[in-house]
Amino acid sequence: MKTIPLYMYSLLKTIPESALPVGFQFRLFQEGDEKHWARINVSTKEFSVTDAALERFNQEFGSHLAEVKKRMLFILNEEETPIGTATAWFGIWEGRVIGRLHWVEIIPEYQGKGLGAPLISKAIELLAVYHEEAYLKTQTTSQAAIHLYKKLGFEPAILSEEEKEGWSFIKGS
């Protein structure tokens, strides 16, 4: 399947509830967690090496660490090791600053264990503290994630002909 970037949008009127499975917990970013963020993103193949992930972290978040501490979530396993992350960030949408669900990742060994919906729900809850609406960026090759985003209140936002084509590849869109 052709990889096409896609956008989704939500008014954040309803915060979906989804319980975190027993043995897992949430916590916000703490000093040094950029290493965990990088490790998680390398494990999901968003980056091939840790240095590239850390460089991206610093580019996107380095000058906003006070905000990161309020907006970046981690899921911890029973050993209190971060195994998933999502950021209730912000971005420009149609010329204005709104919320952005950003960098949702769970390391492969923990995928399929019922962690995605609680992670996204908690991030949406955080987004709603700061924003009335939010968007996210995904791609045609992330169909399972797209279906989860739809279930949790995000809808396709078709901003171009390429995206219209991309959404035609998504079952049930």
Side-chain angles (χ1 to χ4, degrees), residues 102-120:
H102 200 28
W103 291 106
V104 178
E105 301 290 338
I106 297 172
I107 63 172
E109 303 89 83
Y110 287 91
Q111 292 175 9
K113 297 187 182 297
L115 300 172
L119 178 60
I120 294 166

Side-chain angles (χ1 to χ4, degrees), residues 125-140:
E125 184 181 308
L126 265 179
L127 280 166
V129 169
Y130 303 103
H131 308 281
E132 293 180 3
E133 56 191 330
Y135 74 98
L136 62 85
K137 183 178 180 183
T138 187
Q139 61 274 337
T140 49

